Amino acid sequence: MNNGTSYSFSFSYDLTAEPAAAPAVTDLVAFDICREYALPDNQVLLRSSQSGRQTVVTGDVLYSLHQCAAFRSLAEHNRRLQKLIPELAGQEQEINSVLNSVLDAGLMLSAASKTRELQPTPEDASPADRSISYCILTCDRPQAAERLLDSMRQTHDFSPGNRYWLVDDSRAPDNRKANQELCNILQREHGIPLEYFGPRQQAHALARMKQVLPEHTDGLDFLLGRAADESIPSYGRSRNWALLLGAGTPLVLVDDDVLYQRARTPHGSDDVALASTSRSADFYSSDDDWQHLLDQETPDPGSGAFTMALGRTLPAALALFTREELPAEALRHLLPIDYHHFQPWSKIRITSCGSLGDPGTSGNQWLLQLDAGSRRRLHATEALYRQHLQQRNLWSGRGQATFLNSFTLISQVTGLDATELLPPYFPIQRNEDLLFGEMLRYLHPDALQLDLPWAVPHLPLNRRNWDREQLTRPAPYGMLSFSAEMLARNRQQNPAEAASIRMESMAALFFSLSDMPDTNLIQSIAEATLARYAAQINHLNDILAESSDAPGYWRHDVQTYMANLQQAMFAPLPEGFALMEGDARTRRATARALWARFARGLGAWENAMNWARENL
């Protein structure tokens, strides 16, 4: 940086665009996502990737604008720039002049402008009478399924207009028999129309489908058939059957190891947010400590906005919570890269809620990267901090209704808008929910998730603890995480609008991955791993910088984790994917084979959903 007086501007307005409106006094603004074109004499042409507005600034100004990539008031941006850039200390008027000039050029995003676009608008048609599909997903846990359904009988109105399935992926014949008998008892003794959909029913439906779609046999077998090696986790396969069973309707997926009981947020408000941030957390020493959160007045976690919002436009979904225009503050935690995906035509494709008890994550490294309030609760005392790093007993969720364009799908009860084309889940491997979310955003770039401010108790029959030592170890990098990263890189480059065409291009992308030369795949794995480590180091560094008053035992763990990540960047990088059998070469070969089969499954999927609408 040069000194503060070196800032100079040269503007070249797009004369076809309207001048930017002046920001409201209470507005929050952020620097837009711009393409940058270097020019002589340390000047850069900036052009908004969305609005087409453009201007020329000096390199010094561009550096300063990059520090304005979060929604803040002009005064907050001014103070922050003076703190971050020593040369600007005391240059308040000069900074204001620069920021106002960029505002006039139309290259700052306005939170107040966005909230005016998204005025809550109630829908005329009530969705109260529409049929909803519920799929309970179970695998070799008949006791858990019975416990879930016992709780569901207490909290849920089994409407005759809805459809209910128990989708059984059990390997053991005795468990299949117990699950089918459970469905029979509920039908016979309680009048609950719960249909059993186990391996025999799945095989029959798959055979019928392949008769109609013989050219897609291999793809359908991969997405829906049972693997020869049943020791491989197949969480995605059950979800694919659920997507087909619910095709054409709003769909609710329910994991078998939850209680179907709404739990209030411990730190909530009635506000609504448009955000890009992750969930908050609170911590408990025992299940007794959170019993007071169970909501006895509105016990059904799938009621209200959870199902009513599915398929609605954003203004209509906002009207479920408020009829007033949102304040600019509602966008404070929204990233500029997500700003343009919140449009009046954006639809809610996913609804979710938090977890109480076991959050469902295999690793605990994310605990070090929580928001400031959650971190303070985590490290309140050293004894409790050590306990919470191992004991999986916490509330993880939102304090307010939150709309997102980046999907967080670790939700034991999930709503999906299956009235339109959705992608399939990858049928095997872990992180199938992460990849599904990225594929959904690929198909529908302006789709939104509504994460609701309540949770369900997630209580596996065999309670698990985290390994304390894994806290500061870099997390393994799996094939589906890599696949999601490749999709994210390609998404913005795809110009197509129709979901069907984007599905075809997504299949082509997976075929391309399957055909990647070995040297290129090794290089791509290395680059993705380094990018992942670097992002985590930078994020942890920012957390440390804003946590000067945090206790030393917590700071030591964060610093140790950063040091381990830095060490991993200079150690031999992985040449294959974690959590797969064989050496690195074998793992790469396995990944290629799986990508090719999944690509064929993607080619079959739209036809499969259309068939399911009429036949399941």
Side-chain angles (χ1 to χ4, degrees), residues 97-114:
S97 176
V98 168
L99 293 179
N100 281 312
S101 296
V102 178
L103 276 166
D104 291 341
L107 296 181
M108 296 289 269
L109 303 173
S110 163
S113 175
K114 180 61 69 175

Side-chain angles (χ1 to χ4, degrees), residues 319-494:
L320 297 174
F321 303 96
T322 180
R323 301 299 172 88
E324 303 295 327
E325 182 180 298
L326 296 181
E329 192 66 27
L331 275 69
R332 179 172 286 275
H333 300 294
L334 182 68
L335 293 176
I337 196 170
D338 292 336
Y339 177 92
H340 296 291
H341 294 295
F342 287 78
Q343 300 291 348
W345 58 83
S346 299
K347 287 188 177 182
I348 314 306
R349 304 292 186 186
I350 300 176
T351 55
S352 55
C353 64
S355 303
L356 187 57
D358 189 329
T361 62
S362 57
N364 60 354
Q365 296 93 335
W366 61 279
L367 295 176
L368 296 177
Q369 304 175 57
L370 288 165
D371 62 275
S374 301
R375 296 196 303 268
R376 285 191 292 271
R377 292 188 286 271
L378 172 64
H379 58 53
T381 71
E382 184 169 8
L384 287 176
Y385 172 67
R386 301 298 177 197
Q387 175 184 319
H388 298 326
L389 292 181
Q390 291 184 270
Q391 182 175 299
R392 303 189 190 188
N393 206 340
L394 61 140
W395 175 88
S396 173
R398 303 283 176 180
Q400 56 193 6
T402 303
F403 293 86
L404 308 106
N405 179 250
S406 52
F407 303 136
T408 52
L409 290 176
I410 297 179
S411 179
Q412 285 77 33
V413 180
T414 303
L416 296 170
D417 175 23
T419 63
E420 297 188 37
L421 180 62
L422 294 176
Y425 285 85
F426 204 92
I428 58 175
Q429 303 290 330
R430 296 187 180 274
N431 279 333
E432 77 288 344
D433 52 350
L434 171 68
L435 180 57
F436 177 84
E438 202 56 62
M439 289 193 297
L440 177 58
R441 191 156 60 147
Y442 190 99
L443 287 186
H444 305 284
D446 294 332
L448 300 177
Q449 174 183 354
L450 171 57
D451 207 11
L452 289 153
W454 57 79
V456 293
H458 177 222
L459 307 172
L461 295 179
N462 298 316
R463 300 296 286 268
R464 302 161 292 187
N465 285 332
W466 284 306
D467 176 4
R468 170 67 179 82
E469 299 304 317
Q470 76 182 130
L471 178 73
T472 57
R473 290 199 301 261
Y477 193 41
M479 172 190 166
L480 300 196
S481 296
F482 177 84
S483 303
E485 175 63 27
M486 295 300 103
L487 269 182
R489 292 183 188 180
N490 185 263
R491 184 182 68 252
Q492 299 292 348
Q493 310 304 318
N494 189 333

